Amino acid sequence: MTTKHTPGPWETSVLSDGTQWRVCEPGAGDWIADCKNAEDARLIAAAPDLLAALESVRDYWSGGDCPPALWGQITQTIARAKGQA
C-alpha cells in the first residue's frame, strides 16, 4: 500500500476573520487542511519535515545500535505516517 499525499513543504495561513487556520502549499494557494487553531495548523504543516527527520534518524540507527523499544517506535511511526500500518 502506498500513501499519496501532497509533498511538503507546507505552510499555515489564517483566514481574514481569524477564526480558522489553513495548511497549504507555499505560494500555490491549494489547501491541505482546515484547523480551528494555530497549534494544530503548525503541527500539520510540519508533518512532512517531521517524517523526513524521523526517516533520517532511522537511517542513522540502522546499523543496529538503537535500543529495540526505540527502534520499534521509530519504524512503527514511519509506517503509520505512510499508511503501511
Side-chain angles (χ1 to χ4, degrees):
M1 172 185 221
T2 60
T3 301
K4 295 180 181 179
H5 61 85
T6 304
W10 300 340
E11 62 185 22
T12 62
S13 64
V14 65
L15 298 183
S16 60
D17 64 3
T19 61
Q20 193 168 21
W21 286 79
R22 282 206 165 147
V23 178
C24 38
E25 295 177 305
D30 293 334
W31 57 274
I32 313 253
D34 285 326
C35 301
K36 297 286 184 189
N37 58 61
E39 293 81 14
D40 289 346
R42 284 192 295 264
L43 180 60
I44 292 169
D49 297 326
L50 292 168
L51 176 58
L54 192 56
E55 288 175 326
S56 293
V57 169
R58 177 204 56 202
D59 294 345
Y60 177 82
W61 285 105
S62 65
D65 294 333
C66 186
L70 180 57
W71 184 255
Q73 186 177 17
I74 290 168
T75 57
Q76 287 177 3
T77 302
I78 292 170
R80 285 182 58 207
K82 292 185 167 192
Q84 298 167 347

